[in-house]
Amino acid sequence: MAGRRWDLGATRRMGRAFARRAGADGRPPDDVVTGKLEGALVDWGLYRDGERDRRVDSYTEALVRAQRGQGFVWIGLFQPTEHQLAIIGQEFGLHPLALEDAAKAHQRPKLERYGDTLFAVFKTVTYVPHGDLTATSEVVATGEVMVFCGPGFVVTVRHGEHSELTGLRQELEQEPDRLAAGPGAVLHAIADHVVDRYLEVADAVQADIDLIETEMFTPRGWRNIDRVYQLKREVLELKRAVAPLTGPMRTLVALRHPLLADEIKNYFRDVDDHLQRVKEQVISFDELLSSILAAGLAQVQVAENEDMRRISASVAILAVPTMIAGIYGMNFDYMPELRLKYAYFVVLGVMAVACFVLYRLFKRNHWL
């Protein structure tokens, strides 16, 4: 059943199977289970009293000891297949719905409880360095980390190249007091790691926003409007990772669960504070970019109006000589000034004066 504790019968059966596979020296051969997880298994370890038990070099033996209450097993998987997840699910009694979610990427951040087992989904983010921000630049890349946390085990499932938990296991192994708190401490460490990356990415995105804001309000800055739109889309990607996690984090702070001691809940409360901070920051990014985008569109309209005024003024100036030339181009025999000696120069002078007067008028009214 989903969320069930390991029973004594299962422990004995695994112990007998383990003994059958052992060699003449009593040490186990290569694990059958780890062989089936090949390609997806990143690392595993048995942790007892906050220390990694390096004397246990068999995954099967680690499971047996964890089932006997001699510590807990932490297994890390990267993009496992459905079959590999089914093996893990059978080992730890994981719920089929949770396994289905873990097999598929693009899940919404959430926290679900199946008996004594907690299933958490975290969206990981990373900042993609780039030279000049363009209309196609990728600024925020995302991945996913799913965590199964239950009595005696932690299983992490990662999806995406940007879902790494770089150095987290080694960092925790340097702090045995934290690991001694059990699987709940690992769940907190993962949540803390993910939220800390949110803060780092938010600070980097802030620099991009400051730069694009400065460029937008330079002459002809409205030409950067496509870059503003692209950055807004990237901020939306960050917002989709951060905002939905607030509910699950609040739940972890208040949840009564055997794996979550009061001291761990205090640490989760600190993570929630950081999450609220980055959430507010990301929301302000979205609002600021919307304002910048609106300002850019207003600049486009102003530029278009200015162009139209220049065109209209130019047309008005050219209309005067065109009108005069059109009148004197009529084929009439009797028209004023046609027979005058200097009529040609007089008409040219009238055209020039009229054009100059109109030019000064439009210039004074900032149409030119």
Coordinates of all heavy atoms in Angstrom, one line a residue, residues 86-127:
A86 N 9.4 2.3 -11.2 CA 8.5 1.3 -10.6 C 9.3 0.4 -9.7 O 8.8 -0.1 -8.7 CB 8.0 0.4 -11.8
I87 N 10.6 0.1 -10.0 CA 11.5 -0.7 -9.1 C 11.6 0.1 -7.7 O 11.5 -0.6 -6.7 CB 12.8 -0.9 -9.7 CG1 12.7 -1.7 -11.0 CG2 13.8 -1.5 -8.8 CD1 14.0 -1.9 -11.8
I88 N 11.9 1.3 -7.8 CA 12.0 2.1 -6.6 C 10.7 2.1 -5.8 O 10.7 2.0 -4.6 CB 12.5 3.5 -6.9 CG1 13.9 3.5 -7.4 CG2 12.4 4.4 -5.7 CD1 15.0 3.1 -6.4
G89 N 9.6 2.3 -6.5 CA 8.3 2.3 -5.9 C 8.0 1.0 -5.2 O 7.4 1.0 -4.1
Q90 N 8.4 -0.1 -5.8 CA 8.2 -1.4 -5.2 C 9.0 -1.5 -3.9 O 8.6 -2.1 -2.9 CB 8.4 -2.5 -6.1 CG 8.1 -3.9 -5.6 CD 8.3 -4.9 -6.7 OE1 8.8 -4.7 -7.8 NE2 7.9 -6.2 -6.4
E91 N 10.3 -1.0 -4.0 CA 11.2 -1.1 -2.8 C 10.6 -0.4 -1.6 O 10.7 -0.8 -0.5 CB 12.5 -0.6 -3.2 CG 13.3 -1.4 -4.2 CD 13.8 -2.7 -3.6 OE1 13.8 -2.9 -2.4 OE2 14.2 -3.6 -4.4
F92 N 10.1 0.8 -1.8 CA 9.7 1.7 -0.7 C 8.2 1.9 -0.6 O 7.8 2.7 0.3 CB 10.3 3.1 -0.9 CG 11.8 3.0 -1.0 CD1 12.5 3.2 -2.1 CD2 12.6 2.8 0.2 CE1 13.9 3.2 -2.2 CE2 14.0 2.7 0.2 CZ 14.6 2.9 -1.0
G93 N 7.4 1.2 -1.4 CA 6.0 1.3 -1.2 C 5.4 2.7 -1.6 O 4.6 3.2 -0.8
L94 N 5.9 3.2 -2.7 CA 5.5 4.6 -3.1 C 4.2 4.5 -3.8 O 3.9 3.6 -4.6 CB 6.6 5.2 -4.0 CG 8.0 5.3 -3.3 CD1 9.0 5.9 -4.3 CD2 7.9 6.1 -2.0
H95 N 3.4 5.6 -3.7 CA 2.1 5.6 -4.3 C 2.2 5.7 -5.9 O 3.0 6.5 -6.4 CB 1.3 6.8 -3.8 CG -0.2 6.7 -4.0 ND1 -0.7 7.0 -5.3 CD2 -1.2 6.4 -3.2 CE1 -2.1 6.8 -5.2 NE2 -2.4 6.5 -4.0
P96 N 1.4 5.0 -6.6 CA 1.5 5.1 -8.1 C 1.3 6.5 -8.7 O 1.9 6.8 -9.7 CB 0.3 4.1 -8.5 CG 0.1 3.2 -7.4 CD 0.4 4.0 -6.1
L97 N 0.4 7.3 -8.0 CA 0.2 8.6 -8.6 C 1.4 9.5 -8.4 O 1.8 10.3 -9.3 CB -1.0 9.3 -7.8 CG -2.4 8.7 -8.1 CD1 -3.4 9.4 -7.3 CD2 -2.7 8.8 -9.6
A98 N 2.1 9.3 -7.3 CA 3.4 10.1 -7.1 C 4.4 9.6 -8.0 O 5.2 10.4 -8.6 CB 3.8 9.9 -5.6
L99 N 4.5 8.3 -8.3 CA 5.5 7.8 -9.3 C 5.2 8.3 -10.7 O 6.1 8.6 -11.4 CB 5.4 6.2 -9.2 CG 6.0 5.5 -8.0 CD1 5.7 4.0 -8.0 CD2 7.5 5.8 -7.8
E100 N 3.9 8.4 -11.0 CA 3.5 8.9 -12.3 C 4.0 10.3 -12.5 O 4.5 10.7 -13.5 CB 2.0 8.8 -12.5 CG 1.5 9.3 -13.9 CD 0.0 9.2 -14.0 OE1 -0.6 8.6 -13.1 OE2 -0.5 9.7 -15.0
D101 N 3.8 11.1 -11.4 CA 4.3 12.5 -11.5 C 5.8 12.6 -11.6 O 6.3 13.5 -12.3 CB 3.8 13.3 -10.2 CG 2.3 13.6 -10.2 OD1 1.7 13.5 -11.3 OD2 1.8 13.9 -9.2
A102 N 6.5 11.7 -10.8 CA 7.9 11.7 -10.9 C 8.5 11.3 -12.2 O 9.6 11.7 -12.6 CB 8.5 10.8 -9.7
A103 N 7.8 10.5 -12.9 CA 8.2 10.0 -14.2 C 8.1 11.1 -15.3 O 8.8 11.1 -16.3 CB 7.4 8.8 -14.7
K104 N 7.2 12.1 -15.1 CA 7.0 13.1 -16.1 C 7.5 14.4 -15.5 O 7.2 14.8 -14.4 CB 5.5 13.2 -16.4 CG 4.9 11.9 -16.9 CD 3.4 12.1 -17.1 CE 2.8 10.8 -17.6 NZ 1.3 10.9 -17.8
A105 N 8.2 15.2 -16.4 CA 8.6 16.5 -16.0 C 7.5 17.5 -16.1 O 6.3 17.1 -16.4 CB 9.8 16.9 -16.9
H106 N 7.8 18.8 -15.9 CA 6.9 19.9 -16.1 C 5.7 19.8 -15.1 O 4.5 20.0 -15.4 CB 6.3 19.9 -17.5 CG 7.4 19.9 -18.6 ND1 8.3 20.9 -18.7 CD2 7.6 19.0 -19.5 CE1 9.1 20.6 -19.7 NE2 8.8 19.4 -20.2
Q107 N 6.1 19.4 -13.8 CA 5.1 19.4 -12.8 C 5.0 20.7 -12.0 O 6.0 21.4 -12.0 CB 5.4 18.3 -11.8 CG 5.3 16.9 -12.4 CD 3.9 16.5 -12.8 OE1 2.9 16.8 -12.1 NE2 3.8 15.8 -13.9
R108 N 3.9 21.1 -11.5 CA 3.8 22.3 -10.7 C 4.4 22.0 -9.3 O 4.2 20.9 -8.7 CB 2.3 22.6 -10.6 CG 2.0 23.9 -9.7 CD 0.5 24.1 -9.7 NE 0.1 25.2 -8.7 CZ 0.0 26.4 -9.1 NH1 0.2 26.7 -10.4 NH2 -0.3 27.4 -8.2
P109 N 5.1 23.0 -8.7 CA 5.6 22.8 -7.3 C 4.5 22.5 -6.4 O 3.4 23.1 -6.4 CB 6.2 24.2 -7.0 CG 6.6 24.7 -8.3 CD 5.6 24.3 -9.3
K110 N 4.7 21.4 -5.6 CA 3.6 21.0 -4.7 C 4.1 20.1 -3.6 O 5.3 19.7 -3.6 CB 2.5 20.2 -5.5 CG 3.0 19.0 -6.2 CD 1.9 18.3 -7.0 CE 2.4 17.0 -7.7 NZ 1.4 16.4 -8.5
L111 N 3.3 19.8 -2.6 CA 3.6 18.9 -1.5 C 2.4 18.0 -1.3 O 1.3 18.5 -1.1 CB 3.9 19.6 -0.3 CG 4.2 18.8 1.0 CD1 5.5 18.0 0.8 CD2 4.2 19.6 2.2
E112 N 2.6 16.7 -1.4 CA 1.5 15.7 -1.2 C 1.9 14.7 -0.1 O 3.1 14.4 0.0 CB 1.2 15.0 -2.5 CG 0.6 15.9 -3.5 CD 0.4 15.2 -4.9 OE1 0.9 14.1 -5.0 OE2 -0.3 15.7 -5.7
R113 N 1.0 14.2 0.6 CA 1.2 13.2 1.7 C 0.5 11.9 1.4 O -0.7 11.9 1.1 CB 0.8 13.8 3.0 CG 1.1 12.8 4.2 CD 0.7 13.4 5.5 NE 1.0 12.5 6.6 CZ 0.9 12.9 7.9 NH1 0.6 14.1 8.3 NH2 1.2 12.0 8.9
Y114 N 1.3 10.8 1.4 CA 0.7 9.5 1.2 C 1.1 8.7 2.4 O 2.2 8.1 2.5 CB 1.2 8.9 -0.1 CG 0.9 9.6 -1.4 CD1 1.8 10.5 -1.9 CD2 -0.3 9.4 -2.0 CE1 1.5 11.2 -3.1 CE2 -0.7 10.1 -3.2 CZ 0.3 11.0 -3.7 OH -0.1 11.7 -4.8
G115 N 0.2 8.6 3.4 CA 0.5 7.9 4.6 C 1.7 8.6 5.3 O 1.6 9.8 5.6
D116 N 2.8 7.9 5.6 CA 3.9 8.4 6.2 C 4.9 9.0 5.2 O 6.0 9.5 5.6 CB 4.6 7.3 7.1 CG 3.8 7.0 8.3 OD1 3.0 7.8 8.7 OD2 4.0 5.9 8.8
T117 N 4.6 8.9 4.0 CA 5.5 9.4 2.9 C 5.1 10.8 2.4 O 4.0 11.0 2.1 CB 5.6 8.4 1.7 OG1 6.0 7.1 2.2 CG2 6.6 8.9 0.7
L118 N 6.1 11.7 2.3 CA 5.9 13.0 1.7 C 6.5 13.0 0.3 O 7.6 12.5 0.1 CB 6.6 14.1 2.6 CG 6.0 14.3 4.0 CD1 6.9 15.3 4.7 CD2 4.6 14.7 4.0
F119 N 5.7 13.6 -0.6 CA 6.2 13.8 -2.0 C 6.2 15.3 -2.3 O 5.1 15.9 -2.3 CB 5.3 13.0 -2.9 CG 5.6 13.2 -4.4 CD1 6.8 12.8 -4.9 CD2 4.7 13.8 -5.3 CE1 7.2 13.0 -6.2 CE2 5.0 14.0 -6.6 CZ 6.2 13.6 -7.1
A120 N 7.4 15.8 -2.6 CA 7.5 17.2 -2.9 C 8.1 17.4 -4.2 O 8.9 16.7 -4.7 CB 8.4 17.9 -1.8
V121 N 7.6 18.5 -4.9 CA 8.1 18.8 -6.3 C 8.6 20.3 -6.2 O 7.9 21.2 -5.7 CB 7.0 18.8 -7.3 CG1 7.5 19.2 -8.7 CG2 6.4 17.3 -7.4
F122 N 9.9 20.5 -6.6 CA 10.5 21.8 -6.6 C 10.9 22.1 -8.0 O 11.4 21.3 -8.7 CB 11.7 21.8 -5.7 CG 11.5 21.5 -4.2 CD1 11.7 20.2 -3.8 CD2 11.1 22.5 -3.4 CE1 11.4 19.9 -2.4 CE2 10.8 22.2 -2.0 CZ 11.0 20.9 -1.6
K123 N 10.7 23.4 -8.4 CA 11.2 23.9 -9.7 C 12.5 24.5 -9.4 O 12.7 25.4 -8.6 CB 10.2 24.9 -10.2 CG 9.0 24.4 -11.0 CD 9.4 24.0 -12.4 CE 8.1 23.8 -13.2 NZ 8.4 23.4 -14.6
T124 N 13.6 24.0 -10.1 CA 14.9 24.6 -9.9 C 15.1 25.6 -11.0 O 14.6 25.5 -12.2 CB 16.0 23.5 -10.0 OG1 15.9 22.8 -11.3 CG2 15.8 22.5 -8.9
V125 N 15.8 26.7 -10.8 CA 16.1 27.7 -11.8 C 17.6 28.0 -11.8 O 18.3 27.8 -10.8 CB 15.3 29.0 -11.5 CG1 13.8 28.8 -11.6 CG2 15.7 29.6 -10.2
T126 N 18.1 28.4 -12.9 CA 19.5 28.9 -13.0 C 19.5 30.1 -14.0 O 18.7 30.2 -14.9 CB 20.4 27.7 -13.5 OG1 21.8 28.1 -13.4 CG2 20.1 27.4 -14.9
Y127 N 20.5 30.9 -13.8 CA 20.7 32.1 -14.6 C 21.6 31.7 -15.8 O 22.7 31.2 -15.6 CB 21.3 33.3 -13.8 CG 21.5 34.5 -14.6 CD1 20.4 35.4 -14.9 CD2 22.8 34.9 -15.1 CE1 20.6 36.5 -15.7 CE2 23.0 36.0 -15.8 CZ 21.9 36.9 -16.1 OH 22.1 38.0 -16.8

